């Protein structure tokens, strides 16, 4: 497969809590590819989970052994890689298009699609990828051990997802923001829709807290109502590309991250690294740090999307992707009936995108052991959202 795209009481003023986590070492937890985005059919089992009663306390449900659950889940997660490959390939073989399908255009042409040539191949591939993603999400989330609502999540996981769900009561939607997946522009749109910002083109540093409403700041009954009745969407990205984007941005440009994380990473993984200012962290050192880090205590910029947005506990109506950002964003804006003047912003001139060549360079110049050992932490992002595992074979890297 190639790239995929695939009101009650008024809320109080938003508040965000919690400092960024320290740098503890820990054992890996649950890990996470996303497909093209077009309107999706229901992604969850036909039998809906019983709704959470309003006002139900947000406390933990009966405890399960976290160690045992993690050990039991890993084989299942690896099995979804097989589901991912087999369902997509079977559908393609069934339709006789396996030999024809090439990589789809990242940005489909504006206006009506042509039904011949490359466009129809891209549409078929999009359908295959969407089908693969929906089958995999249904398979995973249909398991009895998986959470069916945010109230079934352990308190720490519930806090994480509720802090990442942004609310628009005016347009009745919830958006789970994922850092390094164009979330700053989506926050800009939310501020424009709420009247706090005049235009999406207003220049200036993005305040990621002010004038935004977070679901986690609401009462349990308000949370349950919005989760049940509002349109819910997320945007996803190739996991390795997202990690590389976070690495280049945070350790190459942001002094706060260099001092808070970079200094400690170099000290921990480099002999005689005590004099580093944290601005020279290598990609291998960053991956080793992720390998040693507890998933649930990771910084949000590299925490797996699964852990940030909990797609089994939250029934998302639409999953857009970074690869089809503008087309998918337009779909969402049309669905929520936003004003016609609100559009998804263009990429800032200073932004340095992660290209296929850049990703190839970093992956092929990194120890294969690190990448192989890191994949289980992000396997759910790969399999649920239908992204291919990174190709780090010698033959591929020679090219």
């Amino acid at each position: 497969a190639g790239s995929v795209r695939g009101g009650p009481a008024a809320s109080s003023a938003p508040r965000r809590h919690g400092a960024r986590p320290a740098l503890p070492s820990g054992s890996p937890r649950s890990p996470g590819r996303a497909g093209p985005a077009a309107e999706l059919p229901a992604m969850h089992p036909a039998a809906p989970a019983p709704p959470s009663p309003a006002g139900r306390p947000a406390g933990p449900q009966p405890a399960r052994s976290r160690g045992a659950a993690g050990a039991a889940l890993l084989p299942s997660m690896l099995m979804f890689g097989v589901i991912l490959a087999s369902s997509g390939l079977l559908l393609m073989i069934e339709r006789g298009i396996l030999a024809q399908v090439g990589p789809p255009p990242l940005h489909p042409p504006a206006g009506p699609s042509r039904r011949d040539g490359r466009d129809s191949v891209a549409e078929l591939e999009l359908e295959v990828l969407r089908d693969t993603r929906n089958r995999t999400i249904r398979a995973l989330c249909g398991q009895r051990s998986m959470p069916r609502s945010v109230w079934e999540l352990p308190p720490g996981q519930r806090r994480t997802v509720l802090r990442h769900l942004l609310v628009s009561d005016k347009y009745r939607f919830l958006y789970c923001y994922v850092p390094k997946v164009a979330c700053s522009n989506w926050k800009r749109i939310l501020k424009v829709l709420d009247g706090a910002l005049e235009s999406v083109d207003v220049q200036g540093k993005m305040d990621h807290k002010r004038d935004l409403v977070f679901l986690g700041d609401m009462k349990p009954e308000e949370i349950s109502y919005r989760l049940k009745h509002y349109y819910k969407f997320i945007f996803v990205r190739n996991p390795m590309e997202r990690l590389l984007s976070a690495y280049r941005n945070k350790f190459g440009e942001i002094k706060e991250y260099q001092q808070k994380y970079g200094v400690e990473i170099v000290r921990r993984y480099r002999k005689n690294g005590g004099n580093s200012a944290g601005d020279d962290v290598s990609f291998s050192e960053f991956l080793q740090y992720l390998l040693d880090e507890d998933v649930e205590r990771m910084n949000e910029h590299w925490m797996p999307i699964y852990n940030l947005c909990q797609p089994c506990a939250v029934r998302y109506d639409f999953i857009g992707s970074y690869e089809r950002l503008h087309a998918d964003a337009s779909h969402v804006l049309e669905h929520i009936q936003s004003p016609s003047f609100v559009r998804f912003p263009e990429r800032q001139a200073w932004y340095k995108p992660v290209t296929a060549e850049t990703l190839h360079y970093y992956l092929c110049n990194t120890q294969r052991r690190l990448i192989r050992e890191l994949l289980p932490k992000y396997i759910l992002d790969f399999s649920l959202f239908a992204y291919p595992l990174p190709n780090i074979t010698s033959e591929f890297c020679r090219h």
Side-chain angles (χ1 to χ4, degrees):
S3 305
V4 184
R5 320 306 159 206
S11 58
S12 57
R15 302 185 307 277
R16 289 296 304 273
H17 313 289
R20 288 191 176 89
L23 288 162
S25 293
S27 57
R29 282 278 299 172
S30 311
R33 145 180 178 189
E39 184 139 20
L40 302 180
M43 298 184 300
H44 292 265
S52 303
R56 180 174 177 178
Q61 297 301 305
R64 286 178 290 192
S65 166
R66 297 175 71 175
L73 188 57
L74 185 56
S76 299
M77 291 187 295
L78 297 177
M79 182 181 69
F80 290 115
V82 178
I83 295 174
L84 164 71
S86 61
S87 61
L89 285 173
L90 285 174
L91 186 59
M92 294 168 80
I93 291 170
E94 178 183 312
R95 297 184 181 177
I97 61 170
L98 184 60
Q100 306 173 40
V101 173
L106 295 185
H107 300 289
S113 256
R114 298 190 306 276
R115 307 300 286 183
D116 60 338
R118 185 174 177 80
D119 284 345
S120 47
V121 170
E123 288 173 12
L124 286 170
E125 187 181 53
L126 183 68
E127 186 177 346
V128 168
L129 292 168
R130 186 187 310 134
D131 178 78
T132 298
R133 178 174 61 194
N134 293 339
R135 287 171 185 257
T136 310
I137 290 177
R138 282 197 299 269
L140 175 69
C141 298
Q143 293 191 53
R144 295 183 63 181
S145 60
M146 301 305 291
R148 300 298 181 94
S149 79
V150 297
W151 308 117
E152 295 181 14
L153 294 170
Q157 294 179 19
R158 181 167 55 250
R159 278 194 301 272
T160 296
V161 66
L162 293 180
R163 287 176 181 174
H164 284 81
L165 281 164
L166 293 170
V167 182
S168 172
D169 282 325
K170 184 176 180 180
Y171 290 90
R172 295 175 66 84
F173 70 79
L174 301 176
Y175 159 59
C176 186
Y177 79 87
V178 178
K180 308 313 297 178
V181 191
C183 74
S184 294
N185 280 338
W186 272 113
K187 289 176 181 177
R188 198 179 299 274
I189 286 176
L190 263 77
K191 293 185 181 190
V192 170
L193 292 175
D194 197 44
L197 198 63
E198 182 180 339
S199 164
V200 295
D201 297 319
V202 171
Q203 299 299 311
K205 186 177 179 182
M206 166 60 64
D207 188 323
H208 290 268
K209 301 177 184 178
R210 186 176 177 181
D211 298 320
L212 293 169
V213 180
F214 296 84
L215 193 61
D217 291 327
M218 296 183 173
K219 297 176 182 177
E221 59 270 20
E222 296 175 327
I223 292 172
S224 293
Y225 180 91
R226 286 162 177 78
L227 285 169
K228 182 177 181 181
H229 295 286
Y230 282 19
Y231 180 72
K232 298 171 287 294
F233 68 93
I234 60 174
F235 272 69
V236 297
R237 186 178 188 179
N238 180 299
M240 292 308 298
E241 185 180 303
R242 177 173 170 249
L243 288 181
L244 179 55
S245 178
Y247 162 75
R248 295 208 306 168
N249 173 239
K250 300 309 174 187
F251 298 107
E253 302 171 4
I254 312 297
K255 200 171 190 66
E256 175 190 355
Y257 276 76
Q258 294 168 0
Q259 294 174 343
K260 184 176 180 64
Y261 292 95
V263 169
E264 172 62 16
I265 289 173
V266 172
R267 183 196 63 77
R268 187 187 295 183
Y269 299 112
R270 189 183 306 171
K271 188 176 181 180
N272 303 320
N275 295 324
S276 171
D279 58 353
D280 59 343
V281 177
S282 71
F283 189 57
S284 293
E285 289 168 338
F286 175 58
L287 295 189
Q288 183 64 60
Y289 159 65
L290 296 180
L291 189 57
D292 292 338
E293 187 77 339
D294 185 334
V295 167
E296 292 181 12
R297 301 183 68 178
M298 283 183 175
N299 179 279
E300 63 177 7
H301 289 84
W302 42 80
M303 181 181 282
I305 298 172
Y306 179 88
N307 298 77
L308 289 173
C309 294
Q310 295 290 343
C312 290
V314 178
R315 292 169 169 251
Y316 292 101
D317 300 291
F318 184 79
I319 299 178
S321 74
Y322 191 81
E323 293 76 19
R324 284 175 44 91
L325 184 57
H326 285 273
D328 291 351
S330 295
H331 171 84
V332 170
L333 293 173
E334 181 180 349
H335 184 91
I336 65 173
Q337 299 183 339
S338 70
S340 58
F341 68 87
V342 177
R343 53 173 177 74
F344 198 81
E346 293 299 324
R347 177 182 290 159
Q348 298 292 328
W350 48 262
Y351 181 73
K352 301 174 185 175
V354 174
T355 65
E357 292 75 19
T358 307
L359 183 61
H360 177 278
Y361 173 82
Y362 275 92
L363 292 181
C364 289
N365 285 279
T366 300
Q367 296 176 41
R368 294 179 194 174
R369 173 194 64 83
L370 279 177
I371 297 172
R372 283 197 303 265
E373 292 180 3
L374 186 63
L375 288 180
K377 282 194 171 180
Y378 294 89
I379 196 66
L380 289 179
D381 284 4
F382 281 106
S383 60
L384 287 184
F385 305 129
Y387 282 109
L389 295 177
N391 187 345
I392 52 172
T393 61
S394 298
E395 181 179 0
F396 178 76
C397 287
R398 276 197 300 270
H399 295 288

